[in-house]
Amino acid sequence: MRPFLFLPIAAIVLPVPVLAQQSEPETDAPDIVVLGRPLPPPPGVPAYGSVTIERARLTGDASGRVENVLADVAGFQQFRRSDSRSANPSAQGVTLRALGGNASSRALVLLDGVPLADPFFGYIPFNALAADRLSSVRVTRGGGAGAFGAGAVAGTIELASATRRELPQVAGEAFYGSANALEAAGSISPDVGGGFVSVFGKFEQGDGFFTTPIAQRSAATVRARYRDWSGSLRAVVPIDAQTELQARGLLYRDNRTLRFAGADSSSEAEDASIRLIRRGDWAVDALAYVQARNFTNRVISATTSKLTLDQRNTPATGAGGKIELRPPVGPDHVLRLGADARIGEGVLYEDAYAVTGLVTARRTAGGRTSTTGLFVEDDWTLGRLVLTAGLRGDRWTITDGFFREANALGTPTTDTRFGDRHGVEGTGRAGLLFLASAAVKLRAAGYTGFRVPTLNELYRPFVVFPVTTQANAALGLERLRGVEGGIDLTPARGVTLGVTAFYNRLESAIANVTIAANTRQRRNVDGIVAKGVEVTAHAARGGFSLDASYAFSDSKVRASGVSAPLNGFSPAQSPRHTASATLAWERHGLGASLTARYVGRQYEDDLQTDILPAATTLDAVARLPLGPHVSLIARAENVLDQAVVTRNAGGSIDLGTPRTLWIGMRFR
């Protein structure tokens, strides 16, 4: 760990003088107001069919995990169906609209404007996210422009931190669950001058469950144990009545054991960011961040129960920033001008072992990628019509790529350096929102986007028994083109319904392509074409509420040449049907909810030989107040104990979370 990353934050926060009293609701008074929020979204955002998950839902899920709440948005998926307790971290890439095919994230995930994806692998560190720290999440499906738009080929997921009004001065919770699982978290959020500081810590561990079916277990089979912790600090400091500084720091460590004794993985991070928000005529959003990450992974043979591969170290660094200006161009326009940059670099160190336990080869691989972009976007309100359009220009680079291998004695056997590559990409999006009446909104949008391959895809091979997947340093960029149209209805008070039809084509999509028996390689196929329909619904009456979503995604691979056998197949790990519904009730502090989720049949592999059956799960939560600040909470995951197949490689099966029960206390 490198705690020096927090020094810039401490240097800013500690000298702050006392500028005002505790923050109050925003008024016209000249008092300094600290909100801890980003700039408001432009009026054209709804043209792209965005969905918002509110804080109450984020903190009310049976699993307590952000990635499972995101599954409320039909079409959201990780590469595998496992959550962050029983998945390999490197498989936790996220995508939308069945544009998958490998484990890298095709959706841009932001926390307070900062990209969260690991700079080497592209996965999202969900164990480092706590729902209680969030105010809301906005999910926009489809390609994006704006800040950090490079990489948002499937959509954008924007997480916003909880504000002063949403953070109690002191909070804590503790839960005990099945398989000796323990969760504990606490926070202190005092006012400091005219701002506030929030310090948060979380710890969780569990003996886990057997991911392997009974018939396939061996003497080496163990439960999917996990143990992780995280600590974060967020400070919001007023500069003047319209300007505030937001600083954030994060430390986390995650350890998991998957399937076999000794098959351990770990991930860790030290992240820091600082953000300047200015409201008013000249609005400003300026941001800088740095990320220090590492990952390790040990592969155990299913036949010998011996260590075969030790990916013992993968240090990676990410850094970047943006500046966005919103000049005063009149009451009918919201103009955004800005620039952003991202850099990621990392190195993989791994050792291969023989059945004797001796090292046979030592490998090192790595490189560096970057994107630097300029963007402009304007939202124009013409009565009941809102027009929005944006353009980006990006320069991308892939540099310093290499692969080296030596024998057990350290004698080099391979030393390959890959040529540097660079280019310029222009992308954009446009949309319209027409308020036909108080009950009807019509929208349409079109967009393009691109994604640079991750260092993981370019340089790191991996093994998930019995299949080896090779890296490919020659991978090209993915490019997206898409259109969509939709309608939003409010037929009655408290009732909303949204329907979106879409067509997306991801050209040069990167897929894990079978090239020999039990061997795949990451390759660009001609494209993935996804078309379908998304439906969202909300209804509230009295203390009851119902939120539901459904997505139908007809996603097909377009391939030729050596990949021609894949033409017309569904991308790996891409279901045609997904659905979610949550029925909740709350009255005088009492609360209860039921959440049902459905994931349709999908294929494990590119050749459609291994099937993951459809699965339906049911979760439940009940809350009983014991006083004005304390609640007793019971949670139940997968109440019906549905067997959810998360991996099927030639009949070698992994399963997802079984029935899991929790009881705990929450203090606010």
Side-chain angles (χ1 to χ4, degrees):
M1 290 291 185
R2 291 171 287 276
F4 66 82
L5 291 181
F6 287 105
L7 292 178
I9 293 177
I12 294 167
V13 174
L14 294 178
V16 175
V18 175
L19 298 176
Q21 300 302 314
Q22 179 175 344
S23 60
E24 298 291 343
E26 197 169 4
T27 67
D28 294 331
D31 294 337
I32 293 174
V33 177
V34 178
L35 299 174
R37 296 188 302 191
L39 294 177
V45 167
Y48 301 102
S50 61
V51 178
T52 299
I53 303 174
E54 302 294 349
R55 178 174 170 82
R57 176 66 190 124
L58 286 165
T59 58
D61 187 71
S63 68
R65 318 195 77 76
V66 172
E67 66 268 29
N68 290 338
V69 180
L70 289 173
D72 286 2
V73 180
F76 168 88
Q77 66 179 110
Q78 298 185 86
F79 182 64
R80 299 199 183 278
R81 297 172 173 179
S82 307
D83 65 25
S84 53
R85 291 166 293 190
S86 60
N88 188 286
S90 64
Q92 290 185 243
V94 300
T95 191
L96 298 159
R97 290 187 170 167
L99 287 173
N102 67 33
S104 296
S105 290
R106 288 185 167 93
L108 174 66
V109 183
L110 305 171
L111 174 59
D112 295 335
V114 176
L116 283 181
D118 183 271
F120 188 95
F121 294 91
Y123 71 82
I124 308 302
F126 280 113
N127 270 359
L129 299 177
D132 188 60
R133 298 285 86 195
L134 301 177
S135 174
S136 64
V137 178
R138 184 169 67 235
V139 180
T140 304
R141 293 169 284 205
F148 300 119
V153 292
T156 306
I157 300 173
E158 300 169 87
L159 296 86
S161 287
T163 66
R164 165 74 280 177
R165 296 175 186 175
E166 295 165 323
L167 292 173
Q169 296 278 346
V170 179
E173 62 183 31
F175 288 88
Y176 182 79
S178 304
N180 292 315
L182 175 67
E183 295 179 1
S187 65
I188 301 175
S189 305
D191 295 314
V192 178
F196 71 90
V197 174
S198 184
V199 181
F200 174 80
K202 180 183 75 169
F203 171 81
E204 59 183 4
Q205 68 176 18
D207 291 344
F209 60 94
F210 285 105
T211 62
T212 309
I214 294 176
Q216 297 184 3
R217 295 176 192 170
S218 66
T221 302
V222 297
R223 293 174 177 267
R225 294 187 294 268
Y226 63 94
R227 180 185 179 95
D228 63 80
W229 61 265
S230 64
S232 65
L233 178 147
R234 186 173 188 244
V236 179
V237 180
I239 304 300
D240 57 37
Q242 294 180 316
T243 311
E244 66 186 51
L245 206 58
Q246 303 174 3
R248 167 182 294 282
L250 169 70
L251 297 172
Y252 84 83
R253 180 67 185 250
D254 180 341
N255 295 275
R256 310 179 198 178
T257 299
L258 303 179
R259 197 176 174 91
F260 300 116
D264 302 325
S265 68
S266 73
S267 55
E268 62 181 71
E270 299 158 340
D271 294 359
S273 65
I274 189 165
R275 189 182 197 184
L276 177 72
I277 296 290
R278 176 174 175 80
R279 301 170 179 87
D281 291 341
W282 274 90
V284 179
D285 184 353
L287 169 73
Y289 70 89
V290 62
Q291 301 164 328
R293 306 281 180 88
N294 204 347
F295 173 79
T296 70
N297 186 57
R298 293 165 63 88
V299 179
I300 302 297
S301 169
T303 55
T304 66
S305 302
K306 301 289 187 180
L307 177 67
T308 61
L309 188 67
D310 184 7
Q311 296 172 330
R312 53 187 171 81
N313 200 19
T314 317
T317 302
K322 75 155 187 178
I323 183 167
E324 176 184 326
L325 304 177
R326 298 186 184 183
V329 291
D332 298 332
H333 288 268
V334 175
L335 179 63
R336 304 169 63 199
L337 305 169
D340 60 66
R342 279 186 290 177
I343 298 172
E345 59 184 9
V347 180
L348 164 72
Y349 300 90
E350 69 175 23
D351 299 332
Y353 286 79
V355 69
T356 59
L358 298 177
V359 174
T360 59
R362 301 188 187 277
R363 306 184 188 107
T364 308
R368 176 186 175 101
T369 63
S370 72
T371 58
T372 304
L374 301 173
F375 64 89
V376 57
E377 193 160 56
D378 183 45
D379 291 28
W380 187 11
T381 303
L382 298 167
R384 292 186 292 175
L385 178 65
V386 179
L387 302 176
T388 178
L391 294 172
R392 277 189 65 93
D394 283 272
R395 185 179 188 274
W396 59 269
T397 67
I398 301 174
T399 59
D400 303 327
F402 71 94
F403 176 85
R404 290 194 291 267
E405 183 172 283
N407 60 25
L409 299 177
T411 304
T413 56
T414 302
D415 190 351
T416 303
R417 295 187 177 274
F418 305 105
D420 293 349
R421 293 184 282 160
H422 61 84
V424 175
E425 289 290 320
T427 57
R429 65 178 182 177
L432 64 87
L433 177 68
F434 179 61
L435 309 179
S437 69
V440 179
K441 299 178 183 178
L442 304 174
R443 48 187 165 80
Y447 35 76
T448 62
F450 81 101
R451 183 180 75 89
V452 177
T454 64
L455 297 172
N456 178 48
E457 292 169 309
L458 291 164
Y459 306 122
R460 172 188 174 259
F462 69 94
V463 178
V464 178
F465 179 83
V467 178
T468 297
T469 301
Q470 301 173 353
N472 184 354
L475 289 172
L477 276 59
E478 294 183 335
R479 296 177 174 86
L480 176 84
R481 294 179 296 161
V483 294
E484 65 183 65
I487 182 170
D488 297 317
L489 305 174
T490 309
R493 183 177 179 181
V495 179
T496 59
L497 177 68
V499 180
T500 302
F502 66 89
Y503 175 92
N504 286 180
R505 181 182 176 94
L506 185 64
E507 297 179 346
S508 298
I510 299 172
N512 297 336
V513 177
T514 299
I515 58 175
N518 291 329
T519 304
R520 298 175 189 152
Q521 184 184 44
R522 299 184 181 99
R523 291 185 175 180
N524 293 102
V525 298
D526 293 348
I528 294 175
V529 175
K531 51 190 175 183
V533 177
E534 298 156 344
V535 181
T536 60
H538 169 78
R541 185 177 180 87
F544 289 93
S545 65
L546 174 66
D547 289 276
S549 66
Y550 166 75
F552 167 74
S553 303
D554 181 18
S555 185
K556 300 295 182 185
V557 174
R558 297 290 180 258
S560 59
V562 295
S563 302
L566 307 183
N567 191 56
F569 284 4
S570 297
Q573 308 287 340
S574 299
R576 288 170 64 87
H577 302 276
T578 56
S580 174
T582 297
L583 176 65
W585 172 83
E586 184 170 359
R587 184 66 64 105
H588 305 304
L590 286 168
S593 68
L594 287 173
T595 298
R597 294 193 178 96
Y598 172 81
V599 179
R601 189 181 76 160
Q602 61 196 69
Y603 295 101
E604 168 75 27
D605 62 325
D606 58 320
L607 296 177
Q608 298 190 170
T609 55
D610 298 319
I611 295 174
L612 304 179
T616 302
T617 58
L618 181 67
D619 297 341
V621 178
R623 184 177 69 253
L624 173 66
L626 302 179
H629 304 293
V630 181
S631 297
L632 176 68
I633 299 175
R635 307 177 346 211
E637 302 179 62
N638 194 0
V639 174
L640 303 179
D641 204 23
Q642 171 77 37
V644 180
V645 177
T646 62
R647 185 186 67 91
N648 177 9
S652 175
I653 301 293
D654 279 349
L655 301 174
T657 305
R659 181 190 297 118
T660 304
L661 306 179
W662 298 88
I663 188 72
M665 307 282 287
R666 180 174 289 165
F667 172 78
R668 293 287 184 269

